[in-house]
Amino acid sequence: MNKTPLTFRPYFLPISFQLDRRFPLAIALLVVLTLGAMIISLGVGEFFMPPLEILQTLLGLNDNGDASFVLLTLRLPRVLVAWLVGMGLAIAGTIIQSLTRNPLAEPGIIGINSGAALAAVSLLIIFPSVSATILPFAAFGGALVVTVLIYLMAWQGGSSPLRLILVGIGFNLVAAALTNLLVTFGNINQVSQALVWLAGSVYGRSWEQAIALLPWLLGGSAAAWLMSKELNGFNLGDDLARGLGISIEIRRALLILTSTALAGASVATAGSISFVGLIAPHIARQWVGNVHQSLLPTAALTGGCLVVVADLVGRILFAPLELPCGIITAILGAPYFLYLLIKKR
Amino acid sequence: MVKQNIFHNLFFSRSPILLAGLCVSVVALVFSFLASLNFGAADISVAEVYGAIFQFDGSTEQLIIRTVRLPRSLIALVVGAALAVAGSLMQGITGNPLASPAILGVNAGAAFAVVLATLIGGGNSLDLYAGFALLGAGLTAVLVYGCASLGRGGASPLNLTLVGASFTAFLASITSGILIVSQQTLDQIRFWLAGSVAGRDLDLLLQVLPYLTTGLLLAFALGKQVTLLSLGQDMAKGLGQNTLVIKALAAVCILLLAGGSVAIAGPIGFVGLIVPHITRFLVGTEYRWILPYAAVFGGILLLLADVVARLLLQPQELPVGLVMPLLGAPCFVYLIRAKVKR
């Protein structure tokens, strides 16, 4: 196969970047897959709709009131939220894996997600009357506090990827214990509700939440993509990155912050959907290689597709009972984790 | 090689200072035990505590001591000792400073097994928990250790913690899936899930006690071999030790101790991580001494943590399983900073 990368050198800008040759094909495939999954997902449910009717309704050609209500108000925002959340988690995971140079790390394992979850669960259980729009901010705040703490605790005359992971896992345990405390003593009804949220679900998400998530995702992915050169450097190791002229502590802090924003906003919207941040970057890496300019978008689309499919599977597996998509991703993700562990030695 | 007798090891072969230290620790353990009997929601005088033990007259105070506090203190003592010895053994045979029951996913595994059993059986008896917790804890620990050994660099601190964390995430996901589907299970199980030594009766302890005693005695008997293993696999082999047999025996001990204590008290983390480090710091590298010391220190730690959990938010009582991470996490971070250099 011809592996010469495609080079982009716009004459009006002082930048240039290279993309893998397989990149356009991968993107096209992912888009087709995702759209297909979305259309099935929009049609499946108590109120079944064939794909043609869905397309007509989406394009405004069909004026059936019920159909357009179910589709546009209930199902479409849910599917879009699933897609956005998957993209956010995947980019956050790609960043963390490259920064720690550990293929098994992801925001969920190193405590970022659990910080967000703790903040949100406290809100759900202690102040049940509080409006749902505050949830994303609380979750991002929780993720940020935990991330800063992890970074400070792992600092020993410099940050080290190994210590970041281990300290993160420690914080994960503490945040989980505090969440558990709330689950134990809270009112049983609010606890059930909080558990559904904790397990990672896009059930009942509205346009409001999809739109609230959008700026976080756009900002975060733009920041990540702009720093893809640095990510390429980190992937080679701290010393080489320093040799390439990257001021590693500042860049590492900025990238961790980006990852926190993406993971925090995703967790705030859909709870802890585990393993997406682990799996998506690997699938993408197998397709388009290690260069982040093409890796980041591919990983994002892979993550989006994964969560849309997981949500779909969770809905049809035990219908009419719904399993949160976080449980589906965990069931898919754990064997994949083991496969990676064995393959990477 | 001279056949070693465990009592010989304990009382004659090592320096008198260590023996004296052990006696002092046992005295401290007795005091922690009495403190645990004495403090609590009902204000009961020391004389009544004494009376309840030695001159039982059936008064309300003495009944509280006998039926509520005594089981609770005994369970804290036994569970603390078992977890600490399990952690010491794990760290000794793997040479891994972060190895411990909670890191190896034992808690999540036991919780998953118990939740599954409650869902299927629908029962609410703590007796039912014991067998399933033991099974779940044991299987998970073996799986996590096995998988971590498959990774690059073997069961290093990094691999072990990562694999443990991801198993925990996986099992916790499925556990919460079950709890979402069945709110009835959730209501039955959530207090057990938090990890506590309160409200358990002596029958449960007696049921698990044979496992725990066997585990403890076997562990003490393995002290010498574990010391050799802790010097490194090659060294131990070079000295003619059958490392595989010793590791298998130690694994059985760990299964009995960790599984048994999770069965009684639910998931309680960090005891098995921290106590071995404190013990090694005080006692040195000789596991014949580390293991009994760890048992005593583990008992003291859990008894006192339980007292703190009882007194912290009066009149509400916290489960000790939720207090331990708050005490333990700073130690965990300290350990990483001290032991993991890179």
Side-chain angles (χ1 to χ4, degrees):
Chain A
M1 197 193 285
N2 180 5
K3 284 205 172 178
T4 338
L6 303 168
T7 305
F8 292 86
R9 205 171 278 120
Y11 66 94
F12 53 91
L13 280 175
I15 58 164
S16 72
F17 59 90
Q18 297 185 321
L19 291 179
D20 195 278
R21 274 207 182 271
R22 291 160 292 179
F23 179 63
L25 180 67
I27 294 290
L29 250 172
L30 279 169
V31 169
V32 170
L33 265 176
T34 311
L35 282 179
M38 278 179 170
I39 287 177
I40 297 173
S41 191
L42 287 173
V44 168
E46 221 166 291
F47 186 91
F48 177 79
M49 270 191 256
L52 193 66
E53 199 183 331
I54 293 170
L55 279 181
Q56 284 172 340
T57 314
L58 284 182
L59 297 173
L61 301 174
N62 184 346
D63 265 353
N64 182 345
D66 280 352
S68 58
F69 173 77
V70 168
L71 199 67
L72 297 178
T73 318
L74 299 180
R75 291 192 189 157
L76 191 57
R78 172 187 186 145
V79 169
L80 286 180
V81 163
W83 188 56
L84 293 176
V85 161
M87 291 206 281
L89 290 171
I91 301 174
T94 314
I95 295 176
I96 294 291
Q97 283 179 7
S98 298
L99 275 189
T100 57
R101 243 172 309 126
N102 193 308
L104 303 177
E106 67 142 356
I109 286 176
I110 72 160
I112 297 179
N113 290 3
S114 56
L118 174 61
V121 168
S122 345
L123 212 61
L124 282 175
I125 291 179
I126 301 176
F127 307 104
S129 56
V130 124
S131 128
T133 43
I134 302 183
L135 216 57
F137 290 96
F140 174 67
L144 188 65
V145 169
V146 167
T147 312
V148 169
L149 280 176
I150 293 171
Y151 202 77
L152 289 179
M153 291 298 139
W155 186 276
Q156 220 163 10
S159 58
S160 120
L162 183 67
R163 279 199 306 271
L164 278 177
I165 298 180
L166 289 173
V167 172
I169 291 174
F171 268 83
N172 205 352
L173 292 174
V174 177
L178 289 172
T179 310
N180 217 342
L181 187 71
L182 292 165
V183 168
T184 310
F185 286 111
N187 174 306
I188 186 82
N189 293 319
Q190 277 135 32
V191 166
S192 302
Q193 198 193 338
L195 272 179
V196 172
W197 183 87
L198 261 181
S201 166
V202 287
Y203 173 76
R205 297 300 182 269
S206 62
W207 280 111
E208 201 181 314
Q209 279 150 321
I211 289 164
L213 182 57
L214 204 58
W216 295 86
L217 190 74
L218 286 178
S221 35
W225 202 72
L226 287 175
M227 286 189 276
S228 29
K229 217 173 225 168
E230 282 80 359
L231 278 172
N232 292 341
F234 276 117
N235 219 3
L236 301 170
D238 284 4
D239 294 336
L240 268 170
R242 206 176 277 122
L244 290 172
I246 298 170
S247 46
I248 61 168
E249 294 301 351
I250 296 172
R251 290 299 170 163
R252 178 140 59 208
L254 275 179
L255 281 163
I256 288 183
L257 193 68
T258 310
S259 176
T260 307
L262 285 165
S266 308
V267 173
T269 318
S272 320
I273 300 181
S274 48
F275 290 106
V276 175
L278 177 84
I279 304 174
H282 285 284
I283 297 179
R285 215 168 274 138
Q286 297 217 310
W287 265 356
V288 299
N290 243 332
V291 181
H292 284 76
Q293 280 89 349
S294 37
L295 178 60
L296 284 169
T298 316
L301 288 176
T302 313
C305 188
L306 268 176
V307 177
V308 171
V309 172
D311 181 42
L312 177 61
V313 171
R315 278 163 57 198
I316 54 183
L317 206 57
F318 294 108
L321 208 65
E322 275 198 16
L323 273 186
C325 58
I327 291 169
I328 308 291
T329 57
I331 292 171
L332 294 175
Y336 195 80
F337 176 90
L338 293 182
Y339 160 75
L340 284 176
L341 186 78
I342 294 164
K343 206 191 69 174
K344 293 288 167 191
R345 63 179 176 160
Chain B
M1 202 180 279
V2 183
K3 198 164 183 238
Q4 294 281 347
N5 168 298
I6 178 174
F7 289 104
H8 184 271
N9 286 350
L10 270 181
F11 295 112
F12 304 111
S13 62
R14 292 289 292 187
S15 73
I17 299 171
L18 283 177
L19 187 57
L22 193 58
C23 295
V24 172
S25 315
V26 171
V27 172
L29 180 67
V30 171
F31 274 106
S32 316
F33 190 77
L34 291 178
S36 163
L37 281 181
N38 197 43
F39 292 112
D43 206 11
I44 295 174
S45 70
V46 180
E48 288 285 357
V49 173
Y50 178 84
I53 301 171
F54 298 106
Q55 299 163 329
F56 185 58
D57 63 7
S59 71
T60 315
E61 283 82 6
Q62 296 198 355
L63 263 179
I64 291 180
I65 299 283
R66 282 211 153 187
T67 57
V68 180
R69 299 244 180 108
L70 192 62
R72 181 174 188 164
S73 305
L74 279 175
I75 286 171
L77 170 73
V78 172
V79 166
L83 285 173
V85 171
S88 300
L89 275 180
M90 280 183 182
Q91 293 177 13
I93 60 169
T94 61
N96 185 328
L98 296 182
S100 69
I103 301 282
L104 282 186
V106 165
N107 291 348
F112 170 66
V114 168
V115 168
L116 197 65
T118 314
L119 176 77
I120 296 168
N124 191 17
S125 78
L126 284 165
D127 303 356
L128 181 75
Y129 297 173
F132 283 94
L134 206 64
L135 198 67
L139 274 179
T140 321
V142 170
L143 272 176
V144 169
Y145 186 77
C147 293
S149 316
L150 291 177
R152 184 165 52 188
S156 66
L158 183 65
N159 280 345
L160 207 57
T161 8
L162 266 174
V163 176
S166 72
F167 260 78
T168 305
F170 172 63
L171 291 172
S173 263
I174 301 185
T175 307
S176 61
I178 295 174
L179 295 181
I180 288 165
V181 174
S182 157
Q183 192 177 45
Q184 195 193 352
T185 310
L186 168 64
D187 217 15
Q188 284 171 11
I189 206 100
R190 60 180 179 154
F191 288 98
W192 181 86
L193 272 181
S196 171
V197 290
R200 270 67 167 164
D201 60 29
L202 273 181
D203 288 347
L204 186 67
L205 178 64
L206 291 178
Q207 199 189 333
V208 184
L209 206 55
Y211 302 120
L212 296 180
T213 333
T214 317
L216 281 177
L217 290 179
L218 185 57
F220 293 156
L222 286 173
K224 185 182 157 68
Q225 283 78 3
V226 176
T227 309
L228 285 182
L229 260 180
S230 72
L231 298 174
Q233 180 108 330
D234 298 336
M235 175 84 98
K237 270 190 186 145
L239 289 171
Q241 200 181 38
N242 187 342
T243 53
L244 208 63
V245 171
I246 302 301
K247 278 190 170 178
L249 283 176
V252 171
C253 279
I254 292 163
L255 202 158
L256 291 173
L257 292 171
S261 47
V262 179
I264 318 177
I268 295 177
F270 288 105
V271 180
L273 178 72
I274 300 164
V275 172
H277 285 279
I278 299 174
T279 315
R280 271 198 304 269
F281 176 73
L282 292 172
V283 180
T285 53
E286 173 66 69
Y287 274 81
R288 274 180 296 183
W289 287 100
I290 291 174
L291 294 171
Y293 263 99
V296 175
F297 288 163
I300 295 175
L301 178 65
L302 205 57
L303 279 168
L304 294 183
D306 185 44
V307 171
V308 170
R310 250 181 274 173
L311 299 181
L312 209 58
L313 291 182
Q314 274 180 320
Q316 184 76 278
E317 282 195 1
L318 292 176
V320 69
L322 298 178
V323 175
M324 277 315 296
L326 306 181
L327 296 173
C331 304
F332 181 73
V333 171
Y334 168 79
L335 279 178
I336 290 165
R337 294 174 65 96
K339 303 270 170 189
V340 182
K341 298 283 178 203
R342 192 164 90 190

